[in-house]
Amino acid sequence: MNIIDQMRAANLRTDLPDFEIGDTVNVGVRIVEGNKTRTQNFIGTVIARQNAGNEASFTVRKMSGGVAVERVFPVQSPNVESISIKKKGRIRRAKLYYLRGRTGRSARIREARR
Amino acid sequence: MIGLIGKKLGMTRTFQEDGRSVPVTVIQAGPCVVTQVKNLSRDGYSAVQLGFGTKKPKNTPMPMQGHFRKAGSDPLRTVHEFRLDTGHAYKLGQTLGVSELTEVVRVDVTGITKGKGFQGGIKRHGHHRGPAAHGSKNVRDPGSIGMHTFPGRVLPGKAMSGQMGNKQQTKKNLTVVAIDQERNLLLVKGSVPGATNGIVFIRPSR
């Protein structure tokens, strides 16, 4: 393994659950306002993951008052304080970008059978 | 501190405590061997020549093999000279590593940029494109390159098409993010000229 790959793979955080694409997750985002720090929850569906060690990221999509909001979080960022899985999804795609063109019933994801 | 020769290993990212992501270039800066010390009386100027990398002896010319033998070193891939005021303590054969940069905050990094080949004015100099429709025939053409009977010539330095890249370039005032003395790694913020595995020269910024 070359040094760059070693550096990407070193000191990765292990405190996050194994969430997958299609899951509904609650992401605890650290927000700094002046000198106060608080945690904001961002609840939505994981529609994409980019796996690249230190540079890995995931995209969460949610509907907020009729407007779709997508946020890309770097997995290793200290601003991502926690992730909890609220629902496992049953999906057949690696990237759920098709959800962007849909609303209402057709934008739902079936829950995975356990 | 004079400078170091290094190899660009690639880019990755680091995170600061406040969550900000810092893009970094990883440079293997060392070990460098002092292959020659030039002084005023013999050479007319003061400088230190460093060598870096490995090279097979069979690919090294005999005069260079002798040069490296004098420094007690195996043949090295790259040799580069750093000008330095007299009164330094560097000695022939001494090995330098990234620990030389421990107190340096900002560095200048010189490398050979990636070659882009023969390119037109739009890519090479950021010229604007001509109109694409309505019978236009000068979509990516350079347009007018000068005036009239006066001056009757094209001004020197006129931006035209030609070879782009594969040319020495220096990026100045790059912040040193971290130093790994064990593996001789230097992490600087942002990009540096050249391809991965390219040779770069590192100097402390003025």
Side-chain angles (χ1 to χ4, degrees):
Chain A
M1 200 153 67
N2 67 38
I3 290 176
I4 278 283
D5 289 338
Q6 278 174 24
M7 291 184 72
R8 285 193 183 124
N11 303 322
L12 297 184
R13 60 199 287 186
T14 51
D15 56 324
L16 300 176
D18 287 337
F19 62 100
E20 289 170 326
I21 293 142
D23 293 354
T24 304
V25 293
N26 182 353
V27 185
V29 190
R30 187 174 71 184
I31 293 189
V32 181
E33 286 167 339
N35 45 15
K36 267 197 291 188
T37 308
R38 65 187 179 88
T39 306
Q40 190 183 61
N41 289 325
F42 190 91
I43 304 167
T45 313
V46 180
I47 63 164
R49 282 196 73 160
Q50 310 283 346
N51 292 315
N54 194 22
E55 292 149 35
S57 66
F58 61 99
T59 308
V60 182
R61 179 183 172 88
K62 75 165 183 179
M63 296 301 289
S64 173
V67 181
V69 180
E70 278 183 20
R71 276 191 76 171
V72 181
F73 297 102
V75 177
Q76 302 300 324
S77 169
N79 279 353
V80 176
E81 286 189 332
S82 65
I83 298 173
S84 60
I85 303 170
K86 299 184 77 80
K87 227 194 283 178
K88 297 291 281 181
R90 184 168 154 216
I91 46 141
R92 304 175 71 158
R93 300 274 182 280
K95 302 276 188 275
L96 307 182
Y97 296 141
Y98 68 87
L99 291 177
R100 288 175 178 165
R102 298 190 185 187
T103 48
R105 280 178 66 84
S106 63
R108 282 179 312 166
I109 291 171
R110 276 177 295 175
E111 198 162 343
R113 278 174 294 191
R114 280 156 214 266
Chain B
M1 176 49 224
I2 36 171
L4 289 171
I5 309 172
K7 185 168 91 166
K8 175 173 165 179
L9 296 179
M11 290 190 71
T12 181
R13 87 188 334 176
T14 58
F15 285 99
Q16 289 180 340
E17 274 300 303
D18 60 1
R20 266 186 296 173
S21 167
V22 181
V24 291
T25 305
V26 185
I27 300 169
Q28 169 128 43
C32 296
V33 182
V34 177
T35 49
Q36 193 179 359
V37 179
K38 297 201 171 180
N39 61 38
L40 275 173
S41 56
R42 193 182 61 231
D43 308 291
Y45 64 100
S46 173
V48 170
Q49 188 192 69
L50 298 182
F52 171 78
T54 53
K55 197 172 178 181
K56 287 181 185 169
K58 68 163 183 153
N59 296 332
T60 312
M62 291 310 272
M64 283 308 283
Q65 288 195 26
H67 184 66
F68 291 125
R69 210 177 300 123
K70 258 192 217 169
S73 144
D74 290 332
L76 304 168
R77 177 177 160 192
T78 313
V79 177
H80 191 254
E81 208 171 273
F82 293 90
R83 290 293 285 267
L84 196 64
D85 288 339
T86 46
H88 57 79
Y90 294 104
K91 291 204 169 57
L92 186 66
Q94 190 184 347
T95 305
L96 306 178
V98 79
S99 52
E100 296 280 313
L101 294 169
T102 38
E103 279 164 24
V104 177
V105 182
R106 284 169 185 280
V107 290
D108 298 343
V109 179
T110 304
I112 306 284
T113 56
K114 285 184 186 176
K116 313 281 184 202
F118 190 99
Q119 295 297 335
I122 293 179
K123 187 184 176 83
R124 190 167 178 234
H125 301 292
H127 287 171
H128 289 280
R129 187 170 44 70
H134 298 300
S136 160
K137 289 182 176 176
N138 63 331
V139 180
R140 294 182 73 90
D141 285 1
S144 168
I145 58 169
M147 303 67 148
H148 202 245
T149 321
F150 179 80
R153 61 191 171 94
V154 178
L155 299 179
K158 177 75 200 145
M160 292 204 224
S161 49
Q163 165 69 31
M164 182 179 174
N166 192 19
K167 183 178 148 186
Q168 181 169 301
Q169 196 179 63
T170 303
K171 233 184 150 183
K172 289 184 171 178
N173 294 321
L174 294 170
T175 311
V176 176
V177 176
I179 275 173
D180 182 342
Q181 300 205 10
E182 227 165 85
R183 292 186 287 182
N184 267 322
L185 299 183
L186 169 71
L187 272 64
V188 295
K189 183 178 173 181
S191 59
V192 306
T196 298
N197 292 327
I199 291 290
V200 291
F201 305 125
I202 304 137
R203 268 178 299 265
S205 301
R206 281 171 200 266

